[in-house]
Amino acid sequence: MNHMGTQQLITKRLNLRRLKLEDCHSMFNNWASDEKVAKYTTWYAHQSEKITQEYLKTIVHSYDQLDYYCWGIEYQENLVGMISVIPVEEKAEVCGIAYVLSRDYWNLGLMTEAAEVVITFLCKEVGYRRIIAWCDVANAASGIVLRKIGMQLEGKLRQHVARKDGNYGDEHVYGILKDEIG
C-alpha cells in the first residue's frame, strides 16, 4: 500500500479537497443539519453548528495520518458534500467508501463523478485491490450511484441496519475490483 493521505482530486466539474475548520457553516447548512440527507446515514442530523464543528475538528486532526482519506466536494466553488474511506482490511487491500451530498445537488451526477475519481485514486495511486460500499436497500439513489461507478451488487445483509425509526433494515453490499476500473 502506498498511503499518501487525502490529496486534492479534480474532475470536470468538481474539486475534491481536504476539509477545513472554516467549512463548518457550509457543512452544517448544506447537509449536516438536513434530516432527509441523514435519513440513511449512521449519524443523526446535527442540531447545532457546535456538533458540526466538533466533527470537523476530528476530520481535520485526522489528516495527519497518511492512511486517512476524507474529501470535501466542491461544485461551482460551493462545498456540497463529502466522501471518505472506511478502513476494512488493510492486509487484504480492501477499503470501503461512504458519502453524503447536499439535497440541493441531488440528481446532477455529482456523487457519481466524485466516487469515480476517488475509486480510481484509491486503486491506482494508493494500491487498494478491492473497494466496497454498503447502503440500506431503501436508499435506491445510493444504489444507483454505486452501480453507475461500476460496482456490482454482491449481496444483501438481512436486518443488518438499525434504522433511526427503531426498525431493522436490510443492507446491500457492493464491490469493485482494481482490475475492473478503466
Side-chain angles (χ1 to χ4, degrees):
M1 301 294 293
N2 180 34
H3 287 297
M4 59 187 72
T6 304
Q7 303 291 312
Q8 181 180 28
L9 304 174
I10 296 174
T11 70
K12 184 177 178 183
R13 300 183 294 167
L14 305 174
N15 177 31
L16 278 67
R17 61 162 176 85
R18 288 181 175 204
L19 291 161
K20 307 175 283 201
L21 295 176
E22 301 82 55
D23 291 324
C24 182
H25 186 72
S26 295
M27 187 178 195
F28 179 78
N29 288 320
N30 288 342
W31 73 85
S33 63
D34 190 327
E35 295 282 345
K36 287 187 179 177
V37 170
K39 182 175 182 177
Y40 297 112
T41 65
T42 56
W43 47 270
Y44 287 88
H46 296 183
Q47 299 302 308
S48 70
E49 279 195 40
K50 183 167 178 52
I51 295 168
T52 304
Q53 184 179 45
E54 291 304 312
Y55 177 58
L56 202 46
K57 281 181 186 175
T58 303
I59 292 171
V60 171
H61 185 265
S62 296
Y63 286 134
D64 291 340
Q65 302 166 32
L66 287 179
D67 63 348
Y68 182 77
Y69 302 95
C70 180
W71 292 268
I73 302 168
E74 282 185 341
Y75 172 66
Q76 298 177 340
E77 298 184 19
N78 295 311
L79 184 66
V80 300
M82 61 186 277
I83 184 168
S84 57
V85 170
I86 300 167
V88 174
E89 180 54 59
E90 179 86 13
K91 214 173 204 180
E93 301 171 347
V94 179
C95 72
I97 59 166
Y99 46 78
V100 62
L101 185 68
S102 168
R103 190 164 26 129
D104 293 340
Y105 298 90
W106 288 356
N107 300 310
L108 298 177
L110 299 180
M111 192 51 70
T112 300
E113 193 171 322
E116 281 177 335
V117 73
V118 165
I119 285 175
T120 299
F121 169 78
L122 293 171
C123 289
K124 302 215 173 183
E125 302 297 325
V126 179
Y128 281 105
R129 181 186 57 77
R130 173 174 156 73
I131 301 188
I132 60 177
W134 312 259
C135 73
D136 190 311
V137 296
N139 189 353
S142 192
I144 290 169
V145 168
L146 296 172
R147 288 188 299 277
K148 277 185 179 179
I149 63 173
M151 288 190 146
Q152 295 181 32
L153 177 61
E154 296 183 342
K156 178 168 66 173
L157 304 172
R158 297 177 303 139
Q159 294 187 12
H160 192 255
V161 175
R163 292 183 175 150
K164 293 176 182 129
D165 64 5
N167 292 311
Y168 294 97
D170 296 344
E171 189 169 53
H172 279 149
V173 180
Y174 288 83
I176 191 166
L177 302 174
K178 181 179 190 174
D179 299 344
E180 298 169 337
I181 295 171

